[in-house]
Every structure is written in C-alpha cells, then in structure tokens.
Amino acid sequence: MLWIAWKMLVGNRVKYLGIIFGVLFAALLIAQQSSIFCGLMFLTVSQIRDVEGPAIWVMDKNVEFIDDIKPLPDTDLFRVKGVPGVDWAVRFYKGLARARMEEGDFHQMILLGLDDATLIGAPEGLFMGALSDLRKPDAVIMDDAGYKQIWPGEPFRLGRTFEMNDRRAVLVGITKASRTFQTFPIVYTRYSSAVLYAPRERKVLSFVLAQPRPGLAAEEVCQEITRQTGLQALTRDEFMEKTIRHFLAKTGIPVNFAITVLLGFIVGTAIAGQTFYLFTVENIRQFGALKAMGTSNWTILMMVLAQGAQVGVIGYGLGVGLAALFGWSSRGLTKLAFFMPWQVLVMTAIAVFLIVLLASLLSIRRVLVVDPAIVFRG
Amino acid sequence: MERCSPMQPLPREPLPDDVAVRVRGVTKEFGSGGSLTKALRGVDLDVPYGEMLLLAGPSGCGKTTLVSIVAGTLEPTAGEVVVLGQDLVAMSSGGRVRFRRDNVGFVFQAYNLLPSLTAAENAAVPLMIAGHPRAQAVEAACEVLEHLGLGDRLSRLPAEMSGGQQQRVAIARAIVHHPRLLVCDEPTSALDAENGRITMELIAELAVQPDRAVIVVTHDSRVFSFADRIATMEDGRIESVAIGEHGG
Ligand SMILES: Nc1ncnc2c1ncn2[C@@H]1O[C@H](COP(=O)(O)OP(=O)(O)OP(=O)(O)O)[C@@H](O)[C@H]1O
Ligand SMILES: [Mg+2]
C-alpha cells in the first residue's frame, strides 16, 4: 500500500514538485542561515582555537569572553605555577594597539604577546619568514589577511616597519590565521615587546596559559587553580563555550538569524502544507475508493505519512545539499562566515520533520473523515 | 460466449441458506430538522446466491443509498442488514472495513481507477489491500484482464484507455479477489451503447457465480435483459420486483 501511496504522489508531478519545493525552500534557508550563524559564532572563538598547545586558560574572574580583557598582575603567573597539578604555565598578552605606518596612516591591530622563552600560542600557519626570527629585537609576525588590509594589492614583503606606541616594529613573518570577529590585522610578538607596544598600564597580563600534569583532567586542575588563586580557570573548550554564550546572550545576532530561520520554517510549511492538501483533495476519490475496497484508516494514515516522509527526505537532501554548495562556493569570500556542524543538519532535519508533519495534518484529517460512500456519487 | 470463466469459484463452506443479502425494514435518513432527507423509507429485499439483481428507478429514489448499505460503506438508520450471513448493523466499523476487503467487489460509475497506476496494477489493488505481495497481485490481475480482453492494455495508464476499457479494468479489479458480493452502481451510464452492452455481458458472464450475488444499479433499460430479477424503486421504497429475461 505504501507503494500505491508513492505512485499516487509521483504520478502528480506538479504537486509533487511543489511540495518538495516547499520543504527544500525551508531546509535550504534554515540550514544556510544556521550555518552562517555558526560561522559567526565560530569566528568569535577563533583566537582561542588558534592557541593550540595549552589546555587551560586562566583569567580574571569577571572575564566574559575572549575579547573582554581584564588584566592581571604579573605575579599571578607564579601563583598559577604554584598550584599542584599544573605542569607548566606561561603568560599570554592580548590587546589592541594603534599602529602608525611608514606611509603615515594609522591602523588598529590585535596585538598578541607570546611567552618569550617558549613562544607558546605562536601561529601555526607561518608561510613566510621563520618563527625563530620573532626572538630578534622589535620582531613581529602579521596575518596575511591583515597584511592585505593594510597594504592592499602589494606582494608580501618582510622587513617592513611600522610603529606602535612610538616603538619600532619589524615584520619578520607572515602567517595564516583564523579570521576573527573584529577583523583587525593580528600582530604576534614576544610578551616583553607586547607590553611595550601596548599603552602603558599598571597591570598587563591578559591570560595565563597552563597545562595540567600528564594524567590529570584539565577540568579538575581548573577547579584547583580557582580554589587556590581565586582566578577564573577554564579549559579551552569551556572558554570557547563561554565566549559563544556571551555572544548568544548579549548581542542581537541570534535574534536576527532566528527570525530568518522562523520565516523559512513558516513559508516552507505554508507552501508544502497547501500543496500537500491540494494534492490530497485532488486524490480524495482515490482515497475514498481505497477505503470502500477495504483499506483501513490506519493504512490510509500510514500512506499519507509515507507520502510526507518521502517529500521530506527529498526536500531535506536537496535543501541541505544546496546550502552546503552555497557554503562551498562562498569559501573564498572573506566577508562571509559559513560553518555547518552536524548540529545544523540535525536541527534542519527536525524542522523538516515538523514541516512535513504539520503539512500532512490537514491532509490526514481530510482523508480520515472522507466517507467511502462518496465513490458512488458521480 | 464461449469463454470460460477465469475465476474458478473457490471451495466454500456450506452456507447457512441460499440468501446472500437479506434486508428488512431498512430506513436511512440524511441530515436533521428542516433539511432531513428520508432516502430509504423501509426496504425489504432478498438476493440469493448466483443471482444478478438489477436495481432501477428514478434519480434520487435511493438506489445508491441502498447498495451502499448492502456493501457496508454506509450505516442504515434502522432495520436489519445481513449480508453473506453476517449482520452488518451489529458489526464494528473496523469489522465492516474487513468485511468489504474480503467479501465485496465494487464497480463505480466513475471507474475510480488510480490515474498513476497501470491497468494491471489498478486491477491488483484489492489483492494488495488484502496484503498479497505486489508481484503476485499484479500477476493475478493480468490473468483476469486477459480474460476480459485487455491482454494488450496491461501496462496502459487509465488516461490512455477508452471509457469502456477503463470500466473493464474496474470489473477486473472488482472480481480479482473472488468477492462473494459484487456491487455495481451505474456501470454503463458513462459508456456508449456498444461498450455498455460489452460491460454488462462481462458482468453477467464473469461475475455471476453460484456462490456470488451481484447487484447492479442502473437507469439504463437496455441492460434489463441481463438481469435475473429487476427491483424497481420509488421514493425510498421497492415498488416492484420483476423476473428479468435472464431469470426464470
Ligand atoms: N450524503 C447525503 N447527504 C444528504 N442527502 C443525501 C446523501 N446521499 C443521498 N442523499 C439523498 O438521498 C436521496 C437518495 O439518494 P441516492 O443517491 O440514493 O439516489 P439514487 O437513486 O442513487 O439517484 P441517482 O439515480 O441520481 O443516482 C436523494 O434525495 C439524495 O439527495
Ligand atoms: Mg445513484
């Protein structure tokens, strides 16, 4: 009987494509918008992701997210180092600096200061220059997107100089870096240089990066650090989560995307539901004949649900596929963030399931109440 | 008509009596209050096995209502309806669904074929409803269609066939599962004289079996000659029952 349901559905090509279009439209819009949203959220944690070595981030207890810098006194490094369970700990500077270029123009930059001895937090994607050159006086490494932003159209060239806080900086390397939410150029330097490049403040230590002893869980060591120092200690994942939570709760970004997603849901349901209903009404005599010939209401219900499931699966596949294609084709454009984790696929699937269910409801009601005696009427 | 019947009657248990359909004092009202319609006003009718009964009468006299009740698609307001030894009035609605599935074949005026199924697939539908595998059902349907002279139309869609051919597919569908009651509502009224005659011949020849009763609703006096008996209805009652040319 499900085969008959399938034949009825595909036999009515226009309606069939119409219902699929409704589902596809919704799936595409939901998957695509959610992916852009996830991409944006992913951007907010890009600087945490880029620091790959240490498992623990220690910071002021009021820090809400990665760009929310509340400097610590330098002595906090030693307090963290003294916590049992901490294998090693290093300083990490993150701040904004104003750079004056040779050409005389000013640029805001994200300044990252790495531990002088270990250079922990160094960029992974260095493709010009050598990391060891960062130990030279005034040496800085810049990300390629930042370079192109400051010197558009110019080839990559090392040895360029500029000034931050009246101190000379010499470009010794260019790296790939994950794009950030703020989209400023990123400048890497040693911690000791960074504090000189930054506007002078009483406290300058942004984060302490720490590693638990082998065999110890990072979460437990975090708790120990917090207990002993009163500082906020988070695992890398926890810090990313906290940062994303901040953007979810404190900005209008999620609302904007939610509205678009909801719109896709409603419009998709309307198109699919209406077309599905018209399809059912058009076939009501066939359903009536099947009922007269002894098809139970239960079977009729399964037939309609199977029809819904079929357009759901096809519409979902096409919609998500198109969304992925969109993301793939826009991967080169730096303006657009696109990230489609499995959660987006699951969420879209749930939405499509609901759409198909809602769309089928009217039809189900219609076929269940149809009197098999209608088939005798001309 | 040399063709032998394709559907050998299945061996059946002995029946309690030779009456397939027994209707006593059946009334049917539609609506209520001012818009109350008394479609049936007390109908008594017996149809024995092996008989083809014709139900005639003017439009609106209640013919369709009566056969719907006998076929188990409609509940009477009052009265007694025993079909194939089973009390349809006492039966649950699920029981009536199973009763129709197992015992009743339908031929409708409007054919009611599924437009996206081929002739063979359409004729196989009752077997599929009964749970037979599709391939097996279609095979059985092909056999019946061949006996109905549609062997070269098996994989045609309804839209690619004439009205007469479609009605023959509908007859195949009505008898493919060996029902013991066949109900036909105006099977010829959408057909021209020639196709109407062929259709009635097929029904008379293939459908009427010693263990099966056939009721045909019709306006069409040209088909009276095929009947064993002709019941004429008038305003919700059976006015007269006459022996047809076929009966005796
Ligand atoms: N579902 C219904 N609701 C209300 N009235 C109905 C319904 N079905 C039938 N009737 C009424 O019952 C009466 C008998 O109808 P029925 O269809 O049985 O007549 P009929 O003899 O088959 O007529 P025709 O030859 O035109 O098919 C008519 O007055 C009709 O309007
Ligand atoms: Mg009628």
Side-chain angles (χ1 to χ4, degrees):
Chain A
M1 296 310 284
L2 296 187
W3 176 81
I4 293 179
W6 175 74
K7 285 294 259 188
M8 284 171 85
L9 187 62
V10 298
N12 195 331
R13 193 131 304 169
V14 174
K15 296 281 186 310
Y16 181 53
L17 295 179
I19 308 167
I20 288 182
F21 175 79
V23 178
L24 182 157
F25 175 84
L28 172 63
L29 209 61
I30 293 171
Q32 191 244 24
Q33 290 293 308
S34 308
S35 294
I36 292 178
F37 175 72
C38 288
L40 279 181
M41 288 301 114
F42 205 57
L43 285 190
T44 65
V45 297
S46 62
Q47 294 201 331
I48 308 176
R49 275 186 296 125
D50 276 359
V51 178
E52 284 184 8
I56 295 173
W57 290 63
V58 186
M59 64 209 86
D60 185 273
K61 63 181 191 307
N62 292 321
V63 168
E64 292 281 339
F65 59 106
I66 176 73
D67 299 317
D68 180 25
I69 306 295
K70 300 205 163 67
L72 307 168
D74 270 348
T75 48
D76 277 347
L77 172 66
F78 304 104
R79 295 172 63 208
V80 172
K81 275 185 170 170
V83 174
V86 172
D87 197 14
W88 50 256
V90 297
R91 294 176 296 188
F92 188 70
Y93 178 88
K94 173 170 157 43
L96 288 175
R98 220 161 73 101
R100 199 166 76 91
M101 300 294 133
E102 283 169 330
E103 295 79 8
D105 49 336
F106 288 89
H107 284 276
Q108 191 85 288
M109 304 208 181
I110 297 171
L111 183 61
L112 299 180
L114 317 176
D115 178 60
D116 287 55
T118 61
L119 296 183
I120 278 172
E124 301 277 325
L126 197 69
F127 63 89
M128 211 172 173
L131 189 59
S132 54
D133 288 346
L134 208 53
R135 298 186 196 283
K136 291 181 182 166
D138 305 331
V140 298
I141 292 174
M142 189 183 284
D143 73 311
D144 59 339
Y147 187 101
K148 287 181 195 155
Q149 199 175 321
I150 297 173
W151 297 290
E154 294 186 31
F156 293 128
R157 182 162 60 80
L158 300 182
R160 298 190 95 129
T161 60
F162 51 94
E163 279 180 9
M164 287 180 285
N165 199 22
D166 293 333
R167 281 189 61 93
R168 206 173 79 104
V170 185
L171 191 61
V172 299
I174 299 173
T175 182
K176 290 222 169 296
S178 303
R179 288 171 44 221
T180 64
F181 200 55
Q182 293 171 313
T183 67
F184 295 136
I186 306 172
V187 170
Y188 299 84
T189 185
R190 280 169 289 122
Y191 186 87
S192 57
S193 314
V195 297
L196 299 173
Y197 287 138
R200 188 68 206 150
E201 287 183 66
R202 196 166 52 81
K203 295 189 282 185
V204 288
L205 177 58
S206 318
F207 298 99
V208 175
L209 304 178
Q211 187 70 359
R213 287 228 154 83
L216 291 182
E219 289 82 1
E220 283 165 24
V221 177
C222 284
Q223 283 171 8
E224 192 58 31
I225 295 172
T226 302
R227 193 161 64 234
Q228 295 215 2
T229 64
L231 296 170
Q232 177 173 214
L234 300 172
T235 67
R236 191 165 172 261
D237 285 349
E238 285 169 350
F239 193 26
M240 289 197 226
E241 219 182 292
K242 188 172 175 103
T243 297
I244 288 178
R245 264 181 218 292
H246 166 83
F247 278 92
L248 287 180
K250 300 287 166 60
T251 69
I253 300 169
V255 178
N256 286 327
F257 281 93
I259 288 172
T260 315
V261 165
L262 195 68
L263 213 68
F265 184 86
I266 292 171
V267 173
T269 309
I271 297 175
Q274 182 171 328
T275 320
F276 200 177
Y277 184 69
L278 286 177
F279 162 78
T280 307
V281 168
E282 219 167 80
N283 282 283
I284 203 66
R285 290 186 69 85
Q286 331 300 340
F287 280 116
L290 290 173
K291 282 172 93 166
M293 290 188 279
T295 309
S296 65
N297 265 342
W298 172 253
T299 305
I300 294 279
L301 176 76
M302 295 320 276
M303 288 175 74
V304 176
L305 286 180
Q307 289 170 339
Q310 199 209 337
V311 290
V313 167
I314 293 178
Y316 172 78
L318 289 177
V320 166
L322 281 179
L325 199 68
F326 168 87
W328 180 77
S329 64
S330 68
R331 73 204 179 285
L333 310 171
T334 45
K335 287 281 175 317
L336 218 96
F338 191 94
F339 174 52
M340 194 190 269
W342 63 265
Q343 287 90 339
V344 166
L345 299 181
V346 170
M347 194 190 84
T348 310
I350 293 173
V352 165
F353 175 79
L354 286 177
I355 289 171
V356 167
L357 204 66
L358 287 174
S360 322
L361 276 183
L362 276 179
S363 296
I364 286 171
R365 212 194 83 83
R366 190 76 173 82
V367 292
L368 288 189
V369 301
V370 67
D371 186 348
I374 69 149
V375 290
F376 287 118
R377 316 253 163 238
Chain B
M1 295 288 124
E2 265 84 44
R3 232 170 0 209
C4 66
S5 161
M7 308 312 299
Q8 291 307 318
L10 293 181
R12 303 264 189 203
E13 300 159 39
L15 298 163
D17 52 42
D18 62 350
V19 176
V21 176
R22 174 186 296 272
V23 172
R24 289 288 177 275
V26 162
T27 63
K28 179 67 186 176
E29 294 170 0
F30 291 107
S32 59
S35 64
L36 184 85
T37 311
K38 295 190 169 180
L40 297 179
R41 299 164 181 268
V43 173
D44 300 328
L45 182 69
D46 283 336
V47 187
Y49 286 104
E51 177 177 289
M52 173 146 111
L53 174 87
L54 230 62
L55 208 51
S59 181
C61 68
K63 305 181 295 293
T64 296
T65 305
L66 178 57
V67 291
S68 301
I69 288 172
V70 169
T73 60
L74 195 65
E75 283 180 73
T77 305
E80 183 189 323
V81 183
V82 179
V83 181
L84 309 173
Q86 300 192 51
D87 184 352
L88 291 193
V89 178
M91 212 178 264
S92 70
S93 69
R96 270 195 298 276
V97 170
R98 286 188 292 278
F99 173 81
R100 295 199 300 268
R101 181 191 68 193
D102 298 337
N103 298 303
V104 187
F106 292 91
V107 178
F108 311 106
Q109 175 182 354
Y111 322 136
N112 286 320
L113 299 175
L114 291 162
S116 49
L117 263 52
T118 65
E121 289 161 353
N122 262 296
V125 164
L127 291 175
M128 294 191 234
I129 294 175
H132 293 269
R134 177 154 49 94
Q136 197 182 312
V138 171
E139 198 180 320
C142 286
E143 247 174 74
V144 180
L145 284 170
E146 269 158 29
H147 283 288
L148 291 179
L150 286 174
D152 55 344
R153 298 283 189 280
L154 297 177
S155 47
R156 290 282 179 92
L157 294 175
E160 301 164 347
M161 287 184 286
S162 72
Q165 288 165 344
Q166 289 186 59
Q167 195 58 301
R168 272 190 274 166
V169 174
I171 292 170
R173 179 177 67 181
I175 60 177
V176 73
H177 56 311
H178 312 285
R180 286 194 288 160
L181 175 66
L182 188 67
V183 171
C184 314
D185 195 4
E186 317 249 11
T188 61
S189 65
L191 302 176
D192 60 35
E194 174 64 5
N195 276 306
R197 188 183 56 76
I198 294 174
T199 299
M200 283 312 294
E201 274 173 14
L202 288 171
I203 291 175
E205 195 192 325
L206 298 175
V208 181
Q209 305 274 336
D211 66 341
R212 179 183 289 160
V214 180
I215 303 177
V216 180
V217 171
T218 188
H219 268 120
D220 188 352
S221 55
R222 291 170 305 185
V223 307
F224 284 6
S225 56
F226 295 96
D228 296 304
R229 287 190 303 152
I230 302 161
T232 308
M233 290 187 71
E234 183 79 58
D235 197 19
R237 285 195 190 83
I238 295 197
E239 278 293 307
S240 62
V241 179
I243 306 294
E245 286 174 27
H246 219 254

